[in-house]
């Protein structure tokens, strides 16, 4: 969303280009409204300008129907936009865990039919979605606790759902957590 665009976003763009050796970097950002459904704090033009100044070569807008939706739909829309360019070969996302293999495994687990049955059972027992998801996945640790991990997993699942031929890479989150107040 880049709302606001901050040093972590600039770091991510720089690392993405370094890791892939890409000739160009493409970013997909939400428009006037964010994933939580509220109006973006900064205008999309200002956020686009910040991304371009930090190294993005092309900034595309995520259609509103995806931008204001849950993580899975948000990721699906972003992946569809990137795949639609016909030129994106690598997807570099941030994560708390910093382990692409773990994230890919989690995407496999969460996409399996068996997982969906276990999730329904745990939801029916009264668990919250987060608790039911963690229990049904059986991944252990706190892989599903990080906001960036969860979105990364959704990006991988979405890319696979649309048969996007992309290599996945992750930049480990540094410093404060996603919702940290300090």
């Amino acid at each position: 969303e880049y709302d606001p665009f901050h040093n972590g976003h600039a770091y991510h763009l720089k690392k993405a280009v370094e890791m892939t050796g890409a000739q160009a970097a493409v970013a997909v950002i939400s428009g006037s409204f964010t994933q939580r459904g509220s109006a973006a704090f900064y205008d999309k033009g200002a956020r686009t300008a910040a991304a371009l100044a930090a190294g993005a070569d092309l900034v595309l807008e995520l259609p509103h129907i995806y931008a204001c939706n849950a993580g899975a739909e948000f990721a699906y829309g972003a992946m569809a936009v990137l795949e639609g360019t016909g030129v994106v070969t690598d997807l570099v996302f941030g994560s708390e865990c910093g382990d692409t293999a773990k994230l890919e495994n989690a995407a496999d687990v969460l996409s399996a039919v068996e997982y969906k049955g276990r999730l329904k059972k745990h939801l029916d027992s009264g668990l919250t979605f987060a608790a039911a998801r963690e229990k049904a996945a059986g991944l252990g640790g706190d892989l599903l606790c990080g906001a960036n991990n969860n979105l990364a997993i959704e990006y991988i699942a979405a890319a696979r759902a649309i048969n996007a031929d992309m290599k996945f890479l992750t930049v480990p989150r540094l410093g404060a957590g996603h919702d940290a107040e300090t």
Side-chain angles (χ1 to χ4, degrees), residues 21-159:
Q23 295 175 345
V26 179
V28 179
I29 67 169
S30 54
S32 298
F33 293 90
T34 68
Q35 189 179 9
R36 288 157 295 287
S38 60
F41 190 74
Y42 287 97
D43 172 80
K44 63 185 176 183
R47 291 181 285 129
T48 297
L52 292 169
D57 295 286
L58 175 65
V59 179
L60 302 170
E61 184 175 345
L62 181 62
H64 177 79
I65 189 134
Y66 300 111
C68 291
N69 221 313
E73 290 79 13
F74 184 94
Y76 180 87
M79 295 312 306
V81 168
L82 291 173
E83 181 67 6
T85 68
V87 298
V88 176
T89 58
D90 300 290
L91 179 68
V92 184
F93 39 74
S95 71
E96 288 85 6
C97 75
D99 188 329
T100 305
K102 282 185 180 179
L103 296 167
E104 288 189 70
N105 179 60
D108 291 340
V109 168
L110 297 178
S111 298
V113 173
E114 300 82 12
Y115 160 78
K116 292 174 181 160
R118 291 190 304 270
L119 176 64
K120 181 177 178 349
K121 181 182 97 175
H122 293 307
L123 287 170
D124 290 347
S125 77
L127 290 177
T128 65
F129 178 77
R133 183 176 189 234
E134 191 168 328
K135 195 167 186 175
L139 294 168
D142 58 357
L143 189 64
L144 299 179
C145 294
N148 295 103
N149 284 349
N150 278 297
L151 194 52
I153 291 164
E154 296 295 357
Y155 285 136
I156 294 166

